[in-house]
Structures are given as structure tokens and as C-alpha cells.
Amino acid sequence: MGIPELRNELHDFINHADERFLKMIYAMSKEYKKTAIVGYNPDGTSITEMDLINRVKSASKRVKSGDYLTQEEVEKEVENW
């Protein structure tokens, strides 16, 4: 069975499903989304949605605590490359 046929059959299951089945599919889909690859690091390793969320939270904490470089500091650092 190819992807289009699989999608059609799953749509049919969902369209005729009871509440219990729909809740199971929904829960499974949410978990899958957390582990879905949303990008790649420069070294080729994958980044999941949860990795990305954690990185954003970590960066936000660093900025709020004042742990960042100013534009001027970045420009000086670039001059030394």
C-alpha cells in the first residue's frame, strides 16, 4: 500500500471512529510531533521539536540574566577572526 492509499484509509478510519479511537490517535500524534525532526545542526545531527523548544527556553533565560554579547562586542570579535 502506497502513501496516498494509506492516507485515504486512515482518513476513512478517522471519519468513522469513536471517541476512544480519536483520543488515542490524537495522543499518539502529539507524541510523534514532539520527536519529529524540524531541522539539523551544522554537524548533521537532527533537531526535534522538543530540542528546539528547550534551546529557545535556555536562550531566553540567558538573555534575561544578561548573558549575551552586544552588537559592538560581536563586531570586535569578528575583527579577530
Side-chain angles (χ1 to χ4, degrees), residues 65-81:
S65 70
D67 183 16
Y68 58 88
L69 297 175
T70 65
Q71 180 68 32
E72 292 79 20
E73 291 169 325
V74 171
E75 289 172 0
K76 283 183 184 178
E77 193 173 304
V78 169
E79 288 174 7
N80 297 322
W81 286 358

Side-chain angles (χ1 to χ4, degrees), residues 54-69:
N54 290 334
R55 289 167 80 169
V56 168
K57 287 179 181 178
S58 176
S60 181
K61 285 179 186 176
R62 286 194 311 273
V63 169
K64 287 177 182 175
S65 70
D67 183 16
Y68 58 88
L69 297 175

Side-chain angles (χ1 to χ4, degrees), residues 15-66:
N15 288 335
H16 298 94
D18 62 6
E19 183 179 359
R20 180 175 165 261
F21 181 80
L22 290 173
K23 285 182 177 181
M24 288 187 318
I25 294 297
Y26 180 74
M28 187 174 64
S29 298
K30 284 188 72 161
E31 284 303 310
Y32 175 79
K33 186 178 179 190
K34 290 180 186 177
T35 61
I37 296 172
V38 296
Y40 294 91
N41 291 307
D43 66 0
T45 57
S46 60
I47 302 170
T48 65
E49 181 179 3
M50 287 307 297
D51 293 334
L52 189 57
I53 289 169
N54 290 334
R55 289 167 80 169
V56 168
K57 287 179 181 178
S58 176
S60 181
K61 285 179 186 176
R62 286 194 311 273
V63 169
K64 287 177 182 175
S65 70

